[in-house]
Every structure is written in C-alpha cells, then in structure tokens.
Amino acid sequence: MREVILLKLGEIALKGLNRRSFEDVLIKNIKRRLRDAGEFTVTSRQSTIYVEPLGDGTDMDLAEERCARVFGVVSYTRAGAAEKNLDKIQEQAAEYLREELEEARSFKVECRRSDKKFPYQSPEISAQVGGYLLERYPHLQVDVHHPDLEVRVEVREQSAFVHANARPGAGGIPVGAGGKGLVLISGGLDSPVAAWTMAKRGLALTAVHFASPPYTSELAHDKVVRLLRKVSQYAGRIKLVTVELTHLQEEIRDRCPEDLGTVILRRYMLRAAQQVAEQEGCQCLITGESLGQVASQTLQAIACTDAVAEMPVFRPLIGADKAEIVQLARRIDTFDTSIEPYEDCCTIFTPRHPRTKPTLEMVERGEQAIDGKMLLAEAMQNLQTAHISAY
C-alpha cells in the first residue's frame, strides 16, 4: 500500500507573487528535517506539500513527527494513495482506515475533487464511498454533524488520497523566510518561548548567552543548551554564542548605583548582543521581556535599555502574562527544563531595591562610574560558540 504525508499550507497560500519563494524555503526545511528518516521526495502542488517515501527503508512515524514541527505547515496527515478509480478509492478507504473505522460508531465522508476531469463530482464520491463503508462496517452510522470519524477523500491530478482527520501543524511561516535574528537566551521561562515565537514568524535564529563564572556554573550553561535543543525541533539548527560578563558585572556591582545595576547590566548586554548580531549577519535582537514582569521590564527601564540599540529589538512576549508564557513553554516542552534551579547572570548581584522608574539621564550618569567600553571589549575577546540541533 502506497502511503504519503500530506502537509497543508496556511498563510503561505496568501503570499501572492512571493508564494513560490516561501514554498521553496519550506521544502528545503522539510528535506533537512527528514534526512535521518529515509529517502523522500518532497513536492508542492495545489497548496499541499507531498512527502512521498522512496523504497522500504523509510520511517514514516519519524517523518510524521518531524513534519509536525516544521513552521509553515498548518495541518498534516498520513494518507493512503489510490488509483483515480471509484472502486479503488472505496477499497482504499475501507482498508487504509480499517482500525479507525472499527473503533468508530459514527462517520461521514468529505470529498474534495481538485481534478475536475474526474467523472464524478464531490457529493457523488462522498455518497458512493459512504455506502461502501456502511456495507463493509455495518456497525457504523452516518452522522454528518458530530461524527466520531471523518473520512476524507481528495481526488488530485496524479492520484486520489484517503485519510482521516488532519492534525494541527506548527503554523507560521518557514524558518529563514523572514530573515535572521539574534535571541538573548537565558535559562528562564521567557526567552526560549520568545525564540520559538519569532522562529514561527520565519526568523532563522542565532542565540547569545551571557555567563558569569564562577557565579554561574557549567550546569547553567548546559541548561541553556538543552533549552535551545528543544527550540531547534521547530527552528532548525541554532548557533549559540556565549559571552562571559564576570568582570563587567563585578565592576557594575562595586561602582555603579545599586538601584540601577540591573538596568545598566541590561544595556551592556544589549550592546554586546548587537556586536554579535552584526558579526553573525542578524538584522534584529529578540528578548523575552514582558511589560511590568520585573523591575527591569517597566516601561521606563525598557526605554533606558533600548536607548543603546541601533537595530530593532523584538519582544514578542511584551503583552503576555506569566500564565500564557507557561502555557506556551509547556506546549514546546521547555517548561520542565526552564524551572531547574540553576543561577544565570541576570539573577546574581540583584539589587535589594531596584529602581522601577529610572530616567535615561540618571542611568547614563551611573554608567560613568566604570570604563564600560574597555570592559565590553574585554568580554567580547573570548567568545565561545557551539551549534545546537535537536537531531
């Protein structure tokens, strides 16, 4: 029995003259994800991507799992292919969906006839297939409103396909179709979710992580790697650049006004991230900040931080509350890793009473207590890099 995976396009189908370029990126991403699942052909026809196995050495379960996490796919399903002959379609429906039909109590048949040369119209195909299934599975009843099982028949140019209900895909647009962004990644809940959110909008990701040994440990760094590996299931391979800020943080702690320490640190993180972004060819920065969540994420503090930025800073979670962020973290399987109790550099040297409404003037004056340019240059001299991939 010939089996394929059908991937349905979402907003890509609305891209007009640019649609083909989005589809090309999507097909490349799918092929890359399927490399260790066997040999497949991946083609696009009529707003559907066809993933067809070549030979017997393919792992369809693994291929389906991988396709489910590819951004740009709104839904997916495995389908049995049949000749474009009504008798063959009926037989395929009865055999390919045997398990589902035996377990269901009610069903309906929906048909889409893309090939208008096929001699039967969609209602006729639905009626004929439905009648055949009732004969083969007499325990079933037809329920057109709330069936246990929807049997779907698609008559397309080359073949007919039979499948059950499609499952939701990852949605969004293909990674790489929207440019390249640098995400500031910590070990917390927010930044991995922010990274996933922007990858969903087509950004290829590079990540920068700030470490402060010995105040932060290798376990904390390993936690970040594991979080990025989770994100990379959707976003593809991610380059991780680690910047050590120990000396800079100590100088901020010892010389700058304590209540402004976090905001000053955030400004230097943004400066460092911008340098990494320029080196890596990224066009924007991404952070996991949510308005008002902590003292450094008030409107005034964010304005002071952004004053040093020379490229767009995207904050996809800016209007999300913690419950919404937790829900997304659970969905993408980063929650349990994020709550592991390892320190990151944002949580060390925390001021006892951070200023929540700083002005740019007072922050710039506070920064004058250190030689920030020298300290930043020192931090940027010993970058560590790694390439993170889920597969």
Side-chain angles (χ1 to χ4, degrees), residues 236-251:
R237 194 163 100 156
I238 301 171
K239 183 175 181 179
L240 171 63
V241 180
T242 303
V243 182
E244 290 191 6
L245 293 182
T246 307
H247 192 194
L248 173 63
Q249 282 198 262
E250 289 174 337
E251 288 291 291

Side-chain angles (χ1 to χ4, degrees), residues 14 38 72 82 90 157 166 194 208 378 389:
L14 307 176
Q90 292 174 163
E157 292 178 353
V208 62
E378 176 187 279
S389 177

Side-chain angles (χ1 to χ4, degrees), residues 151-163:
V151 176
R152 297 184 176 271
V153 178
E154 301 186 32
V155 181
R156 294 180 171 267
E157 292 178 353
Q158 296 182 337
S159 299
F161 299 94
V162 176
H163 60 87

Side-chain angles (χ1 to χ4, degrees), residues 49-68:
I49 302 292
Y50 295 78
V51 179
E52 303 180 67
L54 296 174
D56 299 326
T58 54
D59 188 335
M60 290 294 285
D61 292 335
L62 180 59
E64 181 183 8
E65 178 187 323
R66 297 284 174 83
C67 290

